[in-house]
Amino acid sequence: MKALVLEQQENQTLAEVKDIELPPLAEGDVRVDIDWSSLNYKDALAITGKGKIIRQFPMVPGIDFSGRVNESRDPRFAPGQAVILTGWGVGENHWGGLAAQACVKGDWLVALPEHLSARQAMIIGTAGFTAMLCVMALQDAGLKPQDGTILVTGASGGVGSTAVVLLKALGYRVAAVTGRESTHDFLRQLGADEILPRSDFAQTRPLEKQLWAGAVDTVGGAVLAKVLAQTNYGGCVAACGLAGSFELPTTVMPFILRNVRLQGVDSVMVPTAQRGAVWQRLAETLPASYYQQAATEITLAQAPATAADFLQNKIQGRTLVNIHG
Ligand code: NDP
């Protein structure tokens, strides 16, 4: 089968589309014919070798995919059934979605929700799934549209752009932080009510004027520190990313004086039982315009060059990979 294959030579990661063989299915595994995958920040780190994502080579990258069951040794899945996969270490330590087929544990698969096509599922992909988890974390913290503005950082990226659309669709006022003036029109089209330059978030005091009821942070570092210092009394910040830095140069002040909650969000190990509901909410909440505005489609052969663009902050919205394009 055709796959993007990563190999390691003299400390360099090489990425090439090749024909390879998948192993036979083990008990509980499902072979999926993949139609669509996507590129996420983690895929960009893996494909370029700029992040220590992959430890065993050769590896097929691709942390998510959608397709149809080809063969199943799990009684819950039958040939022809439409399925989605995100996370579980697929594309990191298990051959992934940037390929014509994948063999994965049935436990890792989610049935494609009604009213969502396989293509739409991968426009959403891991990034969109994570954006929904962040929005649900804010809702679980009790934040309502009338509580005030929600800030989204790294807003032009995959997680950020989807979070902007979701929050807007749910009635929140949304402020977007971006490092790029070139994406302002894009962010306004998605529904951002206010746009702030990333340069405003370089320095912070332990506590600043309270501006945000909550936030979805995809970048970490100094930006997240400033967001925490500007969060309203009793607010919540959902932190899922490190596109700026994995460090967090903050103080305890927002937590002990303003009752601010910092809620971590992970998408990789979300229990299977919870995933269907998250996808259902995505299918119900995202407007049709999201799938046109937020997606760029590429082929498998274009994935390595596009991965390099990710790390130079040249990508906006979501990148969909047409496996058979
Ligand atoms: P993208 O590359 O699509 O988006 C990242 C955005 O971050 C960019 O578009 C840019 O937004 C901003 N950014 C880039 N470089 C910097 C920088 N140096 N300083 C501050 N901001 C920067 O990535 P994704 O949306 O796919 O992922 C976003 C983050 O979320 C990543 O760190 C990723 O690893 C993480 N993630 C975590 C998951 C989890 O399970 N916890 C799942 C999915 C993603 P702009 O140009 O608007 O400033």
Side-chain angles (χ1 to χ4, degrees), residues 128-152:
F129 182 76
T130 307
M132 189 77 234
L133 293 174
C134 290
V135 170
M136 288 165 76
L138 299 183
Q139 291 183 321
D140 288 349
L143 295 186
K144 305 235 165 12
Q146 59 270 28
D147 292 329
T149 304
I150 307 292
L151 186 69
V152 178

Side-chain angles (χ1 to χ4, degrees), residues 123-183:
I123 292 175
I124 298 168
T126 301
F129 182 76
T130 307
M132 189 77 234
L133 293 174
C134 290
V135 170
M136 288 165 76
L138 299 183
Q139 291 183 321
D140 288 349
L143 295 186
K144 305 235 165 12
Q146 59 270 28
D147 292 329
T149 304
I150 307 292
L151 186 69
V152 178
T153 67
S156 329
V159 179
S161 57
T162 311
V164 168
V165 176
L166 287 170
L167 288 162
K168 190 69 191 173
L170 292 167
Y172 292 90
R173 183 174 186 278
V174 185
V177 181
T178 180
R180 293 180 274 175
E181 255 189 72
S182 58
T183 63

